[in-house]
Amino acid sequence: MFPNSSNLGRPPFSPKYQQQSTFFTKIPLNIPPTLLSHQQIIVPPFHFRSAVLSRTLLSGNIEAAPAVTPVVTLQPMTYGSVSPVSTSDALTSFQGRKRQSQQSLPDDAKRQRIHSRDSDTAVVTQAVPLPEEHRRSFPASVSVLSPVLHAGGSPALIGYVPPLQDTLFLDPTETTLPVANDKLSQQVLELFQACRQQASDLDRKELCRTELQREIQLIFPQSRLFLVGSSLNGFGTRTSDGDLCLVVKEEPVNQKTEARRILSIVQKLFSTKLSSYIERPQLIRAKVPIVKFRDKVSNVDFDLNVNNVIGIRNTFLLRTYAFIENRVRPLVLVVKKWANFREINDASRGTLNSYSLVLMVLHYLQTLPEPILPSLQKNYPECFDPTMQLYLVHQAPRTIPPYISKNGSSLGDLLIGFFKYYATEFDWSHQMISVREAKAIARPDGIEWRNKFICVEEPFDGTNTARAVHEKQKFDMIRDEFAQAWRLLQDKKDLDCILPLKAAKQKR
């Protein structure tokens, strides 16, 4: 699935470093900061930077790179520094300020999809600094062809997880889209093709990540900045926000104290030295604190957390689900668009976050009489071991083949069935959605699950990703939306009756 490369799993440093600290065995320096991938696009390749910059990035000598004007510029603005930032001032300012409000957002609403079981574990140890010459992405992988499988005379199925490449996307990989013979299926497919994330969208996020990592490493030399979430898991749209994970050391970080201290320094950096291109940096003191900001150059909103490595792991689990069966991504995108339009896709307002919606679609496809998806964690436990070293996470699923289901249901039928399942079949009061088990299971007795109206298990740490839904009024609204969508689609067989397609395509 991913190319076999002897270089990817071998740290490019001398044995003496390995003897000094286990940090290098956990996070080798050839791990991709972004863990970037080819995006599944049909448009021609988007050549964003010159060959000079490509060589510079691969060599790690970013500061020596000449100024390069992209082929497509969103607005007349470039990355650059304004004034230095004092880390001591940033820390003093943070500790001396009166504790601010939670920005009017409930704690349960913020960054649930990357919550870690170790959030409150206090470990404060100094990580071994990374040697300067090795701070770079891993070597570009060799391109591989999609495996084409034939089963019983059926058409070729291409559903593999695309190989990971370095920071540029010079040879986008195409995947076969599902056949759409009816109106509803055609509408689902057309919306997916219009709104799915393109390589150029991901390149803009990567440009910002690269620049921010360079600046942050001036303060935290041992850190690495990773792009995670929908930008990489295959379920992103053209307007998806960017999620960033700042890994400062191998041990868990106390999210209440240490993570907030680090993020306050990052926020100070963004609001002073980087204020020419970072807009509205805001520290959100949630259970997993984040800094929210907007990059003026890419026009993308970002959320940055510290050491929530569960987000790296679930990014590649979801990515594998996204590409082993070609009906998964169109269904997920349409459900996310529908939920957003019906205003039930906002955890800050007590409804479902996007991560929970993705898990709900995957769960439905796993529980059909003839499943369309398996449990990857059951079938390939070695690929999704929650204790796996970080540098292996992106390449572990490379051997997983496409999943060939005997279920030939169309996109339209599957969408109707999805709404029917949650409107009439799933037992919200007693069951929990589990993608890990590929079935609905009984709710646990733990305190996290009590008095919760919707229970969706996080596949790695077992927490409830839908814990923001804590009001009965909001739960009833969500359930009513599922029931209404099922009735309308079953009767009309027209996606426009639940989601105005013209507006959805314009918003993208």
Side-chain angles (χ1 to χ4, degrees):
M1 178 182 305
F2 293 122
N4 293 313
S5 172
S6 58
N7 292 328
L8 292 183
R10 185 169 65 244
F13 38 76
S14 61
K16 67 177 181 179
Y17 289 116
Q18 300 180 35
Q19 295 168 4
Q20 289 175 2
S21 171
T22 59
F23 184 73
F24 293 105
T25 67
K26 299 282 186 174
I27 309 179
L29 297 167
N30 61 353
I31 179 175
T34 55
L35 303 175
L36 290 177
S37 64
H38 282 301
Q39 294 306 292
Q40 305 314 297
I41 65 172
I42 294 181
V43 296
F46 182 80
H47 296 272
F48 206 87
R49 284 169 273 181
S50 70
V52 175
L53 182 56
S54 299
R55 291 195 300 271
T56 305
L57 284 176
L58 291 175
S59 67
N61 187 17
I62 296 176
E63 291 181 317
V68 176
T69 303
V71 176
V72 177
T73 304
L74 294 180
Q75 56 190 70
M77 186 176 296
T78 57
Y79 296 106
S81 302
V82 177
S83 58
V85 61
S86 167
T87 58
S88 59
D89 289 346
L91 183 56
T92 303
S93 175
F94 169 73
Q95 294 175 335
R97 284 199 307 267
K98 182 178 179 180
R99 180 181 176 89
Q100 296 178 356
S101 69
Q102 299 296 316
Q103 307 296 340
S104 75
L105 301 181
D107 283 355
D108 281 346
K110 305 173 191 111
R111 298 299 87 191
Q112 297 178 44
R113 65 180 179 275
I114 53 176
H115 168 60
S116 171
R117 162 182 299 170
D118 300 318
S119 298
D120 300 326
T121 305
V123 181
V124 183
T125 57
Q126 181 63 41
V128 179
L130 305 184
E132 182 67 34
E133 64 271 21
H134 294 307
R135 290 190 198 127
R136 56 180 174 80
S137 296
F138 66 97
S141 306
V142 178
S143 298
V144 294
L145 296 177
S146 319
V148 181
L149 305 179
H150 298 268
S154 62
L157 299 177
I158 301 177
Y160 80 117
V161 178
L164 294 174
Q165 295 281 43
D166 210 329
T167 55
L168 298 181
F169 307 96
L170 302 180
D171 300 299
T173 305
E174 297 182 10
T175 57
T176 299
L177 295 174
V179 176
N181 292 323
D182 59 275
K183 178 182 178 180
L184 180 56
S185 297
Q186 290 172 354
Q187 290 174 320
V188 170
L189 200 56
E190 288 172 3
L191 184 62
F192 170 69
Q193 291 175 296
C195 298
R196 62 180 172 174
Q197 180 178 259
Q198 304 293 308
S200 56
D201 305 321
L202 190 51
D203 264 325
R204 288 193 291 270
K205 295 175 184 177
E206 162 58 8
L207 284 173
C208 180
R209 186 214 61 81
T210 300
E211 179 68 14
L212 292 183
Q213 176 172 271
R214 186 179 69 83
E215 294 288 347
I216 291 173
Q217 284 181 340
L218 297 177
I219 302 173
F220 302 104
Q222 76 276 16
S223 66
R224 297 302 298 272
L225 192 60
F226 295 85
L227 186 61
V228 296
S230 62
S231 298
L232 289 185
N233 65 23
F235 298 118
T237 66
R238 302 220 63 185
T239 55
S240 291
D241 294 348
D243 292 304
L244 296 167
C245 177
L246 178 62
V247 178
V248 295
K249 59 185 179 181
E250 62 172 314
E251 297 89 355
V253 166
N254 187 309
Q255 295 292 324
K256 288 184 177 179
T257 57
E258 192 176 5
R260 291 182 182 180
R261 178 184 66 82
I262 294 169
L263 287 175
S264 70
I265 296 173
V266 172
Q267 181 195 27
K268 182 73 172 179
L269 170 70
F270 288 178
S271 61
T272 55
K273 182 180 180 183
L274 308 185
S275 60
S276 62
Y277 61 89
I278 297 299
E279 189 175 38
R280 302 192 301 271
Q282 191 177 33
L283 177 60
I284 307 295
R285 295 175 178 84
K287 190 171 186 178
V288 177
I290 59 172
V291 168
K292 297 179 71 72
F293 64 94
R294 183 173 183 81
D295 173 34
K296 300 177 187 178
V297 181
S298 64
N299 252 346
V300 174
D301 292 315
F302 286 90
D303 294 339
L304 186 152
N305 71 78
V306 173
N307 265 61
N308 242 300
V309 296
I310 197 72
I312 299 175
R313 300 187 189 280
N314 63 42
T315 291
F316 285 93
L317 175 66
L318 263 59
R319 180 179 174 80
T320 310
Y321 277 118
F323 289 104
I324 62 170
E325 224 289 338
N326 62 7
R327 288 169 286 186
V328 177
R329 290 198 300 153
L331 282 173
V332 167
L333 185 142
V334 168
V335 168
K336 287 171 65 176
K337 287 288 183 181
W338 162 81
N340 185 267
F341 175 71
R342 301 305 304 175
E343 297 183 345
I344 58 170
N345 179 206
D346 188 348
S348 68
R349 298 179 182 274
T351 57
L352 294 163
N353 59 26
S354 294
Y355 185 35
S356 295
L357 287 167
V358 173
L359 293 176
M360 290 172 71
V361 176
L362 299 181
H363 167 76
Y364 161 69
L365 295 175
Q366 291 174 324
T367 56
L368 292 167
E370 192 63 62
I372 285 178
L373 288 177
S375 166
L376 289 174
Q377 289 165 289
K378 277 188 170 183
N379 291 4
Y380 306 96
E382 70 284 356
C383 295
F384 303 103
D385 182 348
T387 64
M388 180 183 294
Q389 295 173 358
L390 280 183
Y391 80 98
L392 294 173
V393 170
H394 74 280
Q395 61 175 332
R398 69 185 185 274
T399 58
I400 299 177
Y403 184 75
I404 302 177
S405 172
K406 296 178 182 177
N407 188 327
S409 298
S410 68
L411 287 171
D413 288 340
L414 290 173
L415 184 61
I416 295 173
F418 167 78
F419 288 119
K420 180 182 179 182
Y421 175 73
Y422 288 109
T424 66
E425 299 174 21
F426 184 77
D427 186 351
W428 298 99
S429 299
H430 302 97
Q431 291 182 322
M432 175 175 70
I433 293 165
S434 176
V435 169
R436 176 181 55 86
E437 292 288 340
K439 63 182 180 181
I441 60 178
R443 286 193 181 199
D445 294 329
I447 189 171
E448 182 173 3
W449 307 94
R450 294 174 190 166
N451 304 318
K452 297 300 182 188
F453 296 99
I454 300 178
C455 293
V456 182
E457 180 192 50
E458 207 292 323
F460 285 101
D461 66 17
T463 55
N464 183 11
T465 69
R467 61 185 175 273
V469 186
H470 52 76
E471 297 178 11
K472 188 176 186 305
Q473 178 187 4
K474 295 296 177 66
F475 169 65
D476 289 341
M477 179 179 71
I478 292 170
R479 193 170 53 178
D480 289 345
E481 290 292 346
F482 275 92
Q484 182 182 12
W486 170 53
R487 288 192 297 266
L488 290 173
L489 277 184
Q490 188 180 41
D491 181 41
K492 305 289 187 181
K493 303 290 194 300
D494 185 348
L495 191 57
D496 251 319
C497 69
I498 66 167
L499 175 64
L501 294 178
K502 185 176 181 180
K505 290 177 182 177
Q506 288 175 345
K507 186 176 181 181
R508 301 209 288 186

